Amino acid sequence: MNADAGGAAEAGLRLQVRAIRLLAERTHAFELADPDGALLPPFEAGAHVDLHLPGGLVRSYSLAGDPSQRSHWLLGVLREAEGRGGSRALHDRVRVGDVLAASAPRNAFALVPGAAHTVLLAGGIGITPLKAMAHALAARGASFELHHCVRSPRHAAFAAELAATVPAGRLHRHFDGGHPAQSLDIAALLARPAPGTHLYCCGPAGFMQACAEASRHWDTGRVHFEHFKPPAEAAPAVAAGAFEVLLARRGIRVPVGPDQTIVRAIELAGLRVPTSCLSGLCGTCKTDYLEGEVEHLDYILSDEEQARCLTPCVSRARSPLLVLDL
Ligand code: FES
């Protein structure tokens, strides 16, 4: 994940930039460690942290390192000249020795234990959470394969580390000259899902769309996506229609205007829901609901989760009242 995170993200850790190294074209690795050399909190493959950057920006980055390695965390970040400024701030203004505030790791893209086989499918810098997964799967001797679609060898981040981690014959790099969805016949790769196989995809929008179309016939519980940003055809973050939420534990009713998110309406009532991406991507704001009909606008919750919780940063009510377990 390399998503825009809202300013409300919590910053419980202070991390020192231990090293910065070139990984690939416009892409650097940032190694973050405790300033006093203490071990960092454990994390699971697929997790991300919110990093507080110069200029007051907060951005989410997947942890790309080996989860068993607690001396430092590793990020892989593509500098996006036309982005919203997070990757530019990190590349242009952060130097070795700087100390940055960060959240604890959170994971909305975790490996499902016990898979018979795992297919990891990365587009470009979407390799970061999948690299951590490759370390975890290799460490437990699990059956897996990793496909990395990139423009050219010059754009392939973590090439050496992946070659050293993924078992022989299971690492496939696909070069396409700039059209990630075309470098690999994703439909052919995913045409016949073997029993017990799980699929994990992360990459830019076009690549993710190709993965989603090619895996439509898979069981939804066996397909896992991590989007950088909401898909282009997404519904607007704020849909039409006013409604009310009842915060059941406090007995407070909060009106939600047609141009407000539930998170914002609750903030205006003097309370706070933890948030990070504010886009329905990270799961930080996930909240149980007790009554009402939800219009789910997230990209992260499974069908099973949507039956009991919602992401109030984007999702809304279809009923006049929504009762939240808050
Ligand atoms: S804050 Fe990320 S899903 Fe709501």
Side-chain angles (χ1 to χ4, degrees):
M1 176 183 286
N2 180 359
D4 187 4
E10 289 169 23
L13 297 169
R14 296 186 67 71
L15 301 174
Q16 188 162 39
V17 181
R18 192 175 85 168
I20 300 174
R21 60 190 163 90
L22 184 67
L23 280 179
E25 183 96 6
R26 294 188 293 127
T27 305
H28 281 83
F30 294 82
E31 287 184 15
L32 308 174
D34 182 276
D36 300 319
L39 291 180
L40 295 175
F43 75 93
E44 289 183 351
H48 66 273
V49 293
D50 296 330
L51 211 53
H52 292 239
L53 301 170
L57 301 172
V58 184
R59 294 291 186 268
S60 293
Y61 294 103
S62 294
L63 297 176
D66 183 342
S68 69
Q69 169 63 263
R70 291 182 55 193
S71 63
H72 68 279
W73 289 341
L74 177 66
L75 312 180
V77 182
L78 171 70
R79 187 183 186 281
E80 295 183 273
E82 305 302 324
R84 298 178 64 184
S87 67
R88 289 201 304 277
L90 194 50
H91 279 83
D92 301 351
R93 298 177 62 187
V94 171
R95 296 291 173 256
V96 171
D98 288 355
V99 174
L100 304 172
S103 70
R106 284 190 288 266
N107 201 352
F109 190 47
L111 285 166
V112 173
H117 182 69
T118 298
V119 178
L120 305 176
L121 201 41
I125 197 61
I127 189 64
T128 50
L130 302 185
K131 175 177 173 292
M133 289 179 173
H135 285 293
L137 291 166
R140 64 179 82 146
S143 169
F144 74 101
E145 62 192 83
L146 190 156
H147 297 262
H148 191 191
C149 301
V150 286
R151 181 183 298 242
S152 74
R154 274 192 306 126
H155 295 81
F158 298 120
E161 292 97 322
L162 290 170
T165 303
V166 181
R170 294 302 177 107
L171 174 61
H172 308 277
R173 290 195 293 154
H174 309 275
F175 305 119
D176 68 359
H179 306 285
Q182 296 171 20
S183 65
L184 162 70
D185 188 344
I186 296 175
L189 178 72
L190 304 181
R192 281 180 291 280
T197 296
H198 281 251
L199 169 67
Y200 297 82
C201 306
C202 184
F207 174 84
M208 295 299 277
Q209 192 177 342
C211 293
E213 285 167 8
S215 62
R216 242 183 255 291
H217 58 297
W218 285 51
D219 291 346
T220 52
R222 294 201 280 126
V223 178
H224 315 273
F225 291 144
E226 172 109 310
H227 293 271
F228 292 161
K229 55 184 74 164
E233 72 275 16
V238 177
F243 55 93
E244 269 192 326
V245 293
L246 171 63
L247 311 184
R249 290 194 223 166
R250 296 172 171 84
I252 299 173
R253 290 177 92 95
V254 178
V256 183
D259 56 352
Q260 274 179 335
T261 63
I262 298 176
V263 159
R264 182 62 184 146
I266 290 175
E267 276 175 4
L268 291 174
L271 300 164
R272 188 168 166 273
V273 178
T275 59
S276 176
C277 72
L278 293 173
S279 303
L281 295 168
C282 73
T284 304
C285 66
K286 194 163 81 173
T287 302
D288 285 351
Y289 64 93
L290 307 171
E291 282 175 42
E293 195 183 344
V294 178
E295 181 178 13
H296 291 284
L297 297 172
D298 64 88
Y299 306 94
I300 193 163
L301 301 182
S302 64
D303 292 348
E304 186 193 333
E305 288 177 307
Q306 287 188 346
R308 58 184 162 79
C309 53
L310 78 161
T311 54
C313 66
V314 291
S315 295
R316 304 187 65 75
R318 286 209 169 99
S319 50
L321 179 69
L322 201 55
V323 182
L324 302 182
D325 188 18
L326 286 174

